[in-house]
Amino acid sequence: MPTPILRTERLQLRPLAPRDAEPLYAIMSDDETMRFWDWPAFRDYATVAEIVAGQISDMVEGRSAYWAVSLLSDSTVFGACDLSEIDPRQGRAELGFLFNRGWWGNGYAVEAMDAVVDYAFESLGLERLWARLHAGNEGSRRLLERLGFAYEGTLAGHVVRDGFRRDCLIYGRLKG
């Protein structure tokens, strides 16, 4: 199934396109935004363009759905969200999101992710969603809890970042 355009009261989530590498580079090159990611902030545009191309390839193959997020009234992309590792047989997928720090605190992330969760459960017929976040990422933890996700466990030392092992927390939600 092709990734659809999703609309909320204030937002449009459209399928990721090559042109989104530029606004995503602006997000992914910010040290504070990337503080709780598996990789530090990216310093070269080409790497982000390659990531976007790989995500688009995953969408074409039906393994993932990636969206660029903008206001309905303005096409400026200020975030991205996704369903990855979509497994129709098991009825599950991983949820992800990344928003420009200048747009934090306006409720856009919860609004966008609520639309993605609805799409996953209602349109794709999935029954379980999960997300992984670095320990200490309180903003993402609060967002997931607002979306009805619950803490399920810790993956001790799951990621090496800046020479140190970091714990990751798993949050999940069943349909219903």
Side-chain angles (χ1 to χ4, degrees):
M1 170 186 282
T3 302
I5 294 173
L6 304 177
R7 289 185 178 86
T8 69
E9 183 179 326
R10 302 180 293 170
L11 305 175
Q12 175 174 275
L13 288 69
R14 62 161 175 73
L16 195 66
R19 70 181 182 269
D20 298 317
E22 186 175 333
L24 291 181
Y25 175 70
I27 297 168
M28 297 174 84
S29 63
D30 179 67
D31 290 323
E32 180 62 22
T33 300
M34 299 297 286
R35 191 172 93 180
F36 292 109
W37 275 72
D38 293 358
W39 308 278
F42 292 97
R43 298 297 177 225
D44 69 297
Y45 173 81
T47 301
V48 174
E50 286 176 26
I51 291 168
V52 170
Q55 292 171 334
I56 292 168
S57 177
D58 285 349
M59 280 196 309
V60 168
E61 295 177 17
R63 294 190 306 251
S64 300
Y66 290 91
W67 291 273
V69 181
S70 65
L71 295 174
L72 286 172
S73 60
D74 179 356
S75 63
T76 301
V77 171
F78 63 87
C81 48
D82 66 86
L83 293 169
S84 61
E85 299 183 32
I86 298 172
D87 185 342
R89 185 172 156 268
Q90 295 295 329
R92 67 179 179 225
E94 181 179 5
L95 186 79
F97 46 88
L98 182 65
F99 287 85
N100 185 304
R101 185 165 42 110
W103 295 74
W104 293 357
N106 295 299
Y108 296 133
V110 73
E111 187 174 332
M113 297 315 298
D114 194 46
V116 170
V117 168
D118 285 347
Y119 170 73
F121 287 145
E122 302 308 320
S123 297
L124 293 181
L126 301 178
E127 296 175 348
R128 174 178 162 67
L129 296 175
W130 67 281
R132 178 179 62 86
L133 60 140
H134 288 214
N137 188 343
E138 291 302 306
S140 291
R141 181 192 58 77
R142 285 190 304 272
L143 171 60
L144 289 167
E145 289 176 353
R146 283 185 68 187
L147 293 169
F149 284 68
Y151 171 75
E152 294 182 339
T154 298
L155 300 172
H158 189 67
V159 171
V160 176
R161 167 79 193 268
D162 301 326
F164 298 96
R165 290 211 157 270
R166 291 186 178 186
D167 294 348
C168 290
L169 311 179
I170 301 297
Y171 275 72
R173 176 178 165 183
L174 295 174
K175 182 179 180 176

